[in-house]
Every structure is written in structure tokens, then in C-alpha cells.
């Protein structure tokens, strides 16, 4: 008989790591996006976690606090657009879609390439150099709308 075990995630420890692609550290809830059908589930300040992105995702990334992809490198679409928007990005994160649960509070370190679990109290008491979802501002550029 096969029994399923739940993975216990300890706050503060890296859940997954990947290639740092756009610097900065932010915290927010994970939003798993499998494709364009999931775009309407993304809210401002979410951490978008997906397999990959393409130009149709550009406006969506403007809402995000950060982006984490399972594929790509520093010249991938997600990395370039994240740098343009000034949000952290970690790419080539093997198994990110399976390891990160929807709505889980995480910290994304786009400089070091780490995605860490957070407890609710850590988000409320974030240090001043860590942007939280309410501090994220989308560039005011009518060409993106």
C-alpha cells in the first residue's frame, strides 16, 4: 500500500533554487499560472510561478511582485521583462510548479536565486529593504495597456 506524505516546509528555508535573473527580494503569495486560461486569477503583488512565458505574458508580469519559471536563462522572456519592470525573477527552477503551492507565502530572492517559505508574521514584519506586495508599483506606460 502506497501512502502519500505531505512535504513539510519550514519557514525561512529555501523551498527551491534556480538561476537569478532579475535582482531584488520581495514577498507575496504564489500564483501558479499554467497558461493564458489562468491569467485572470493573478492579482497585483502575486508571485507568478509558471513553466515559461512569452510576449502574451508581458502585461501580466506588470501586476506581479516577482516571477519564477521552470525553464529559461538570463536572456529568456521572463528575465528580460522582469528586469524592465524592476521585479525579481528566478528562472530554471526545476520542479517549481510542483514544489510551490498556490497562495503559499514566499520570499523571492532574484539576486541569489532562492525561493523561501514565509510565515504570515514574517510578511507583516518584513525589513524595510524587502518590498511587500503593497509597495510594488507598476510603471505608468500606456503602451502596455
Amino acid at each position: 500500500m502506497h501512502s502519500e506524505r505531505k512535504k513539510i516546509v519550514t519557514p525561512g528555508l529555501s523551498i527551491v533554487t534556480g538561476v537569478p535573473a532579475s535582482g531584488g527580494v520581495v514577498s507575496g503569495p504564489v500564483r501558479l499560472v499554467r497558461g493564458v486560461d489562468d491569467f485572470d486569477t493573478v492579482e497585483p503583488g502575486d508571485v507568478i510561478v509558471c513553466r515559461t512565458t512569452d510576449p502574451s505574458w508581458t502585461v501580466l508580469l506588470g501586476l506581479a511582485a516577482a516571477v519564477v519559471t521552470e525553464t529559461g536563462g538570463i536572456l529568456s522572456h521572463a528575465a528580460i521583462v522582469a528586469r524592465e519592470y524592476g521585479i525579481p525573477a528566478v528562472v530554471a527552477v526545476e520542479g517549481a510548479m510542483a514544489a510551490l503551492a498556490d497562495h503559499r507565502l514566499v520570499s523571492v530572492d532574484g539576486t541569489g536565486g532562492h525561493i523561501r517559505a514565509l510565515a504570515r508574521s514574517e510578511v507583516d514584519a518584513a525589513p524595510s529593504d524587502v518590498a511587500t506586495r503593497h509597495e510594488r508599483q507598476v510603471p505608468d506606460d500606456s503602451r502596455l495597456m
Side-chain angles (χ1 to χ4, degrees):
M1 176 186 258
H2 176 69
S3 64
E4 232 179 88
R5 294 183 187 180
K6 283 190 172 183
K7 182 179 178 182
I8 298 173
V9 178
T10 305
L13 297 180
S14 287
I15 301 171
V16 290
T17 59
V19 175
S22 181
V25 179
V26 297
S27 61
V30 167
R31 184 68 60 187
L32 298 176
V33 182
R34 290 171 183 83
V36 294
D37 291 340
D38 293 335
F39 281 14
D40 62 345
T41 66
V42 176
E43 297 180 14
D46 283 347
V47 172
I48 295 175
V49 178
C50 57
R51 175 123 175 87
T52 190
T53 67
D54 62 45
S56 67
W57 293 61
T58 302
V59 173
L60 186 69
L61 293 175
L63 294 174
V67 62
V68 175
T69 66
E70 290 186 328
T71 63
I74 61 170
L75 295 178
S76 66
H77 177 266
I80 291 168
V81 174
R83 288 191 296 270
E84 289 176 358
Y85 279 121
I87 64 172
V90 181
V91 297
V93 181
E94 188 175 327
M97 297 285 290
L100 299 170
D102 229 2
H103 308 290
R104 174 76 168 125
L105 291 175
V106 296
S107 170
V108 177
D109 178 354
T111 305
H114 301 280
I115 294 85
R116 293 183 172 88
L118 292 179
R120 172 70 59 190
S121 61
E122 289 179 276
V123 173
D124 296 336
S128 61
D129 62 335
V130 176
T132 56
R133 67 184 293 169
H134 65 278
E135 295 171 333
R136 170 74 178 94
Q137 294 185 17
V138 178
D140 184 20
D141 190 341
S142 59
R143 295 175 298 163
L144 300 175
M145 301 301 163

